Amino acid sequence: MTEPDRCAVAISNVSKVFNQGKPNEVHAIEDISLSIGEGTFVSLIGPSGCGKSTLLRLIAALTHPTRGDVGVNDKSADQARLDRDYGMAFQTSGLFKWRSVAENVELPLQLMGWSKTDRKARAAEMLDLVKLDEFGDHYPHELSGGMRQRVAIARALSFRPSLLLMDEPFGALDEMTREHMQTELLDIWNKTGKTIVFVTHSIPEAVFLSQRVIVMSPRPGRIASDIRIDLGERSFETREASAFFEKVTEVREALRFEESQP
Amino acid sequence: MISRAFRGAAPATVVGLGGLLFWELSLLIINPEGFVLPAPSGIIAAFFDNFEEIWVASRNTGFIVITGLVGGVALGVLWALLVSRFRLANETLTPLAISLNAIPIIALAPIFNAWYGLLSPVSNQAIVVILVFFPVFINTTKGLTDVGATEIELMRSYAASSWQVARTVRIPNAMPFFFTALKIASSLAVIGAIVAEYFGGRQDALGPLIVQNAGLTRYTEAWAAVLAGSVMGIVLFVASGIFERVSMPWKPDAETIGA
């Protein structure tokens, strides 16, 4: 295992307990350590409730660990959030219906106090990146689900964060749109060189997208396997290659092994 | 756009005219003298015969309605902003608003008259303000707080200040709720003003005009004054709808129901 020089995300001995000391106490994550090299595409996969979304939110400093440390770009996760080191995309696009597509992409820039001209220019550039350059003046309700997710990705990347955190962003899309979006995302990743942490519960999606698939155990979430994926440049043929199926099987076996544990 | 508006209004117009025709014709059969319930044609005739008087009364009542509506809406929105922003305000002002609303507000009219003077319009305005305040407060608060978890997490991921969250998320989110309240409030304001006028305030207003005419068994004239009140309510409702459309250009047409 050779890691790139710099760590984008460093998680050490992190545990997360919700409602500690109360009757509804939940051990979501137990003693996870994980480091993610800069520029890597990593997927987190596991059964429902394994804490993969919680892990993503710990990186985002939207929730804080009960024990352990989370570092992003060599600083605390909280500081990274305040420095806007990451962009985030969710399963629901979270677009604001009262803002046009371009205005949605401009939102983070507006919050950072950018001038209107700069905002407009960047939004146009970003919409070009996600191939929606003609839809800037449309409102979200006029777009399909896949297009809305592309806007959400454009928004997450608009201020050029080094890290992109994605929580099942394609989970609500139909299979064909989903595969198309995966290709688009890899294209964006290749062009921008971001570090991407991608939560999913689709095994082929994780294998197709990632350089590394982190398999998590059922609650309390622990890292069950850390699987390297080396399929070279992805194309339509990748999905039909035997090497792809071998990796899909390997991830599936890792998940099954974990679920059979008491 | 215009032809579509006409097509949209056609069913309502047919039902309205049909209803009036039915009213007119059935009175010819069951109540030819038109004592208690006058015919629509008689009411409209009385409306124009007494136009001068009704116009002055409508202007005076309209002043109460508009000032009371503006005051009540401003109070409701301000109260909602405070309650949704500060926990302490929520814990103190929300129960206070609910208790205010629990008072049968119209019953305060004679008491307000004692406070402000029998012929003062202030007591009428105060009734309208209190009446309008609650639906605006409760709906706007709902709109300001009913924001999805994803949206809030997104704003936190941008390290947005709570003022930025309010301006870019909470307030736009509250707009449809506010306009629903405004439509309810505009009708309530007319009702509140006229009923309050039954008890006091200016004597050349719609409320006294209805009471006096009804007292003299001039029912057709009383109904003509009621008609003026209805027109006022409809004008305010439609104005709220137009205001809504102008303020919320993003709203798909299909969602805008009523005006």
Side-chain angles (χ1 to χ4, degrees), chain A residues 57 61-62 64 81-82 84 86 88 90 92 94-99 107-108 110-111 139 141 155-156 159, chain B residues 147 150-160 164-165 167-170 172-173 176 249-252 255:
Chain A
R57 278 167 174 72
L62 295 174
H64 296 97
R81 180 175 70 87
L82 295 176
R84 286 136 171 162
Y86 69 83
M88 201 157 181
F90 301 86
T92 55
L95 297 181
F96 296 109
K97 63 183 177 204
W98 51 83
R99 287 176 162 254
L107 172 69
Q110 186 189 338
L111 297 174
Y139 282 99
H141 70 88
R155 178 176 60 184
F159 50 101
Chain B
V147 176
T150 300
E151 283 75 7
I152 293 298
E153 281 201 323
L154 191 72
M155 294 303 279
R156 282 194 58 208
S157 83
Y158 299 141
Q164 286 179 321
V165 175
R167 204 165 46 98
T168 53
V169 183
R170 294 191 187 279
N173 190 66
W250 64 84
K251 217 174 177 200
E255 274 182 36

Side-chain angles (χ1 to χ4, degrees), chain B residues 7 16 19 26 31-33 48 76 97 99 101 123 137 161 165 171 176 241 249 253:
Chain B
R7 220 177 323 140
S26 51
N31 183 21
E33 288 84 17
F48 288 107
S99 343
N101 187 56
S123 63
F137 160 71
S161 69
V165 175
I171 292 174
D253 282 337

